[in-house]
Amino acid sequence: MSKINILQPNVFNMISAGEVVERPSSVVKELVENSIDAGATSVDIFVEQGGLLKIQVSDNGIGIEKDDMRSAFLPHATSKLKNITDLDSLATLGFRGEALASISSVSEVTLSSKSKNQDVASKIALSGGKVTLESEDSRAQGTIITVENLFFNTPARLKFMKKASSELHYVEDVVRMLILANPSIRISLSNEDGEILRNDGGELIDSIYSVYGAKIADNLLEIKQNQQGSIKVAGYISKVDFTKPNRTYQTIIVNGRAVQDVTVQTAVEKAYAEFLMKRTYPVFVLDIVMPFDDVDVNVHPSKTEIRFVDKQAVFSAVYHAALDTIND
């Protein structure tokens, strides 16, 4: 008798959800990135009870065709990748085709969308990954997706969530990064108590004011675009006498994607070495642009971890960009 089981789609979707959908902030990140990939210039985010009860993301992007509504929720369904070689030149934030399938498997989802080719919008609802409704709807071009009762069918995961105020804090952190990585897009975050964050679209410095306020923004120095080889470094770093007691205010953007990377972080801090006291850290928002095939974004489902083909080249480019700015 065979001991090897072939998992059913609903089972492996829920397993995949464990990696993709860690908490409400993960859902917000995936949905907003979908909006950005859809060409949205305006994105509104609403959460209730820190996103555990409700997450709603509305955009003015290109929308989803009626014939693609069901397919969008299938595992490994994506419009952004076709062949493995496409990873070498990937310009979109999403590409794995896991997000919607994973989110819908552990929540109740309603999606309404209208493309420019449709006279009316299309609507689909799912509960635990199963379609419960398909109908026409009324809305302008774009998409609105509502995720409710996150982890309602996975109580083991739900009990590991923190209180609503803590989950809201995680959501705020994600939205801040999304705003900084996409300064030209109007992005707002609200909850049941009103508006929390808002960037009306503009230059990077405008988004820094929106996210961190004038006290931090006024203490930053602009990196005049500094290029070494094929690596361009721009952005803002703090004045040498303006530091923070932790790395919370350090943002790394690589090819439009907010990421975490020790190589970049270390390069900046080395440039500040002679100015930093123990347990103090510079503030920075770095915008790094480099050839897509010189960086691997397919490291983890969260897509916040990356690998550089040539770490030393990246270190050198960032270090000298920071050092030149400090000494200017």
Side-chain angles (χ1 to χ4, degrees), residues 83-138:
N83 302 306
I84 192 63
T85 53
D86 293 341
L87 282 172
D88 295 335
S89 57
L90 200 65
T92 57
L93 297 174
F95 57 89
R96 298 174 68 101
E98 296 176 317
L100 290 183
S102 297
I103 293 167
S104 67
S105 72
V106 291
S107 67
E108 297 172 330
V109 177
T110 304
L111 170 68
S112 176
S113 189
K114 181 179 182 294
S115 73
K116 65 179 181 180
N117 300 320
Q118 292 177 244
D119 294 327
V120 296
S122 299
K123 183 176 182 180
I124 187 170
L126 302 91
S127 178
K130 296 181 179 179
V131 176
T132 58
L133 171 73
E134 287 182 284
S135 67
E136 292 185 346
D137 202 9
S138 176

Side-chain angles (χ1 to χ4, degrees), residues 32-92:
V32 175
E33 287 183 345
N34 278 350
S35 294
I36 294 167
D37 284 341
T41 59
S42 179
V43 183
D44 292 302
I45 309 151
F46 174 82
V47 296
E48 194 170 338
Q49 290 189 17
L52 291 167
L53 185 63
K54 183 177 183 179
I55 298 167
Q56 188 171 77
V57 175
S58 178
D59 70 53
N60 66 346
I62 60 174
I64 303 173
E65 299 282 349
K66 179 181 178 180
D67 293 343
D68 290 330
M69 294 289 277
R70 271 183 174 255
S71 299
F73 289 93
L74 295 176
H76 315 302
T78 178
S79 61
K80 303 152 189 173
L81 188 70
K82 188 173 183 180
N83 302 306
I84 192 63
T85 53
D86 293 341
L87 282 172
D88 295 335
S89 57
L90 200 65
T92 57

Side-chain angles (χ1 to χ4, degrees), residues 198-210:
R198 182 188 183 95
N199 181 54
D200 288 325
E203 301 298 324
L204 178 57
I205 191 62
D206 300 316
S207 69
I208 294 174
Y209 273 101
S210 297

Side-chain angles (χ1 to χ4, degrees), residues 298-313:
N298 189 29
V299 178
H300 187 273
S302 68
K303 302 185 292 295
T304 58
E305 298 177 34
I306 57 174
R307 292 194 185 104
F308 296 115
V309 171
D310 189 345
K311 289 198 297 184
Q312 187 55 48

